């Protein structure tokens, strides 16, 4: 399970900019970059990211496999 890869693919698939995703999640663009760089995403954030990008959590995770 590569959450960094999942996030990169999800962002590219939906055509969302880091800034726009950060606004939807009420976080910073830097946090989005950190998630992509490290792949370390807490469960609560994982659910929020998935919902914001229109994926179920399992679909989101599967993107990185």
């Amino acid at each position: 399970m590569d959450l960094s890869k999942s996030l990169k693919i999800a962002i590219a698939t939906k055509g969302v900019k880091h800034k726009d995703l950060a606004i939807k999640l009420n976080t910073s663009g830097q946090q989005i970059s950190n998630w992509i760089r490290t792949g370390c995403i807490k469960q609560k954030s994982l659910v929020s990211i998935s919902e914001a990008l229109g994926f179920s959590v399992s679909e989101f995770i599967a993107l990185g496999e």
Side-chain angles (χ1 to χ4, degrees):
M1 170 172 61
D2 185 345
L3 294 179
S4 175
K5 184 176 177 183
S6 295
L7 185 53
K8 288 179 201 174
I9 292 170
I11 287 172
T13 300
K14 297 296 181 171
V16 177
K17 296 182 181 187
H18 292 194
K19 177 183 167 184
D20 296 330
L21 181 58
I23 291 168
K24 281 185 177 183
L25 298 173
N26 196 29
T27 190
S28 66
Q30 182 62 45
Q31 182 61 56
I32 305 295
S33 296
N34 288 342
W35 288 332
I36 290 172
R37 184 175 44 79
T38 66
C40 184
I41 305 172
K42 293 180 182 178
Q43 184 175 357
K44 181 179 177 182
S45 297
L46 183 60
V47 171
S48 297
I49 293 166
S50 299
E51 289 175 355
L53 293 173
F55 293 98
S56 69
V57 174
S58 60
E59 289 172 332
F60 180 82
I61 292 171
L63 291 173
E65 294 180 348

